[in-house]
Amino acid sequence: MSKTAIITGSGRGIGAAIAKRLAKDGFNIVINELSEEAGQQTAEECRALGVKAEVYAADVSDYAQCEEMVKKAKEEFGTLDVLVNNAGITRDGLLLRMSEENYDAVIRINQKSVFNMTKLVGAIMLRQKSGSIVNLASVAGLYGNAGQMNYSASKGAVIAMTKTAAKELGSRGIRVNAVAPGFIQTPMTDKLTDEQKNAILGQIAMKRYGQPEEIANVVAFLCGENSSYVTGQIIEISGGLSM
Ligand code: NAP
């Protein structure tokens, strides 16, 4: 039986690139988005690579919606071998101007979603005694970033959750790792001002922004057999933003 990967928030950006990269590696693909329409293009592109792909709409910050999605995906695909916790949002603002609503929204979507999905898919992987989980952290979670108190907190938590899950699940053949991207060109970063983009560019050793496919390649390595003895690790992919 072919292996199946579930990637949250995979209708566009980094998630869509990961879905297509894993499809190339032969994984059947479960695409998650807030709405079914938003995931259809990724699904078609994965099917064109010769694998099965379905879209399941769910807000990953909501445990009940995740439970329903994981149940349906397991029934349809038979196994869930890879989980990529990719869905995420930003609601930037300096601390004193940040609303409680924007703080809570980012924590719920970027952090609680990882608890929801890791618990639900992890239970299936425990029964299978195998699996690989990859979380999307960020350099903001490693070093902090002015204007991103909410986002940095959520991604710092994702790093801690990655290590905790790796310790809990390792003895059962389940590996848990994270990638920490720097500045990657996606709809998430398109909304930054030119001034903000130039300031970031000045700090990158390679003097260019990253592409979603450059994140997907490392995620694919962590999902597959070539990283069979790697767990609990955070791999920074930032073109040398910090060293
Ligand atoms: P993006 O282009 O904004 O895509 C995020 C995806 O997540 C969208 O498809 C979005 O769906 C989906 N999503 C948002 N909230 C959701 C929810 N509650 N339930 C289900 N899906 C949801 O972002 P990206 O740049 O590809 O980022 C992907 C991941 O990488 C995020 O975790 C982000 O924090 C991380 N990251 C990105 C960068 C970067 O420079 N781009 C750097 C470091 C880390 P809708 O289209 O419906 O909103």
Side-chain angles (χ1 to χ4, degrees):
M1 192 192 290
S2 304
K3 290 190 169 183
T4 300
I6 178 165
I7 304 112
T8 66
S10 45
R12 66 166 197 230
I14 294 171
I18 294 169
K20 285 181 265 179
R21 180 63 173 74
L22 293 179
K24 257 189 212 158
D25 286 353
F27 283 93
N28 291 323
I29 303 293
V30 178
I31 293 151
N32 154 254
E33 262 296 332
L34 281 169
S35 74
E36 259 189 58
E37 304 78 68
Q40 287 307 336
Q41 196 188 328
T42 310
E44 277 164 31
E45 289 172 2
C46 290
R47 287 183 201 122
L49 292 163
V51 300
K52 181 171 166 173
E54 297 294 338
V55 184
Y56 294 93
D59 175 349
V60 286
S61 70
D62 183 299
Y63 188 82
Q65 290 188 37
C66 290
E67 197 169 29
E68 184 67 19
M69 169 171 68
V70 170
K71 185 168 169 272
K72 279 193 208 154
K74 171 81 168 76
E75 277 166 12
E76 180 63 33
F77 286 78
T79 67
L80 292 175
D81 306 282
V82 161
L83 164 65
V84 182
N85 282 308
N86 167 81
I89 63 164
T90 51
R91 294 282 184 274
D92 295 353
L94 292 171
L95 172 59
L96 296 188
R97 291 195 205 129
M98 185 176 286
S99 66
E100 185 183 2
E101 188 189 13
N102 279 349
Y103 184 84
D104 289 346
V106 169
I107 298 296
R108 217 177 45 247
I109 293 172
N110 296 5
Q111 178 184 335
K112 178 154 181 273
S113 63
V114 175
F115 165 77
N116 293 343
M117 290 300 291
T118 305
K119 180 174 154 95
L120 290 161
V121 179
I124 293 168
M125 291 175 169
L126 275 172
R127 285 195 291 276
Q128 290 170 182
K129 295 193 174 59
S130 69
S132 177
I133 299 172
V134 181
N135 296 326
L136 271 286
S138 166
V139 289
L142 287 168
Y143 311 113
N145 195 24
Q148 290 196 312
M149 178 67 91
N150 49 4
Y151 187 78
S152 305
S154 72
K155 295 301 186 177
V158 166
I159 289 169
M161 292 162 95
T162 300
K163 294 177 184 179
T164 299
K167 286 181 180 182
E168 284 196 25
L169 303 175
S171 66
R172 306 292 284 273
I174 301 162
R175 298 182 299 108
V176 189
N177 292 288
V179 293
F183 186 107
I184 312 302
Q185 268 180 318
T186 70
M188 180 179 273
T189 46
D190 283 347
K191 56 191 174 198
L192 295 178
T193 63
D194 285 346
E195 197 185 348
Q196 287 172 314
K197 287 182 190 170
N198 288 334
I200 296 165
L201 197 56
Q203 297 167 36
I204 301 173
M206 293 182 74
K207 297 298 170 213
R208 68 171 180 83
Y209 307 125
Q211 296 302 315
E213 293 71 24
E214 295 180 290
I215 304 301
N217 287 337
V218 180
V219 171
F221 164 72
L222 291 172
C223 292
E225 282 308 304
N226 287 335
S227 61
S228 54
Y229 200 50
V230 180
T231 196
Q233 303 307 303
I234 317 302
I235 302 185
E236 183 173 329
I237 315 168
S238 67
L241 183 66
S242 56
M243 285 178 257

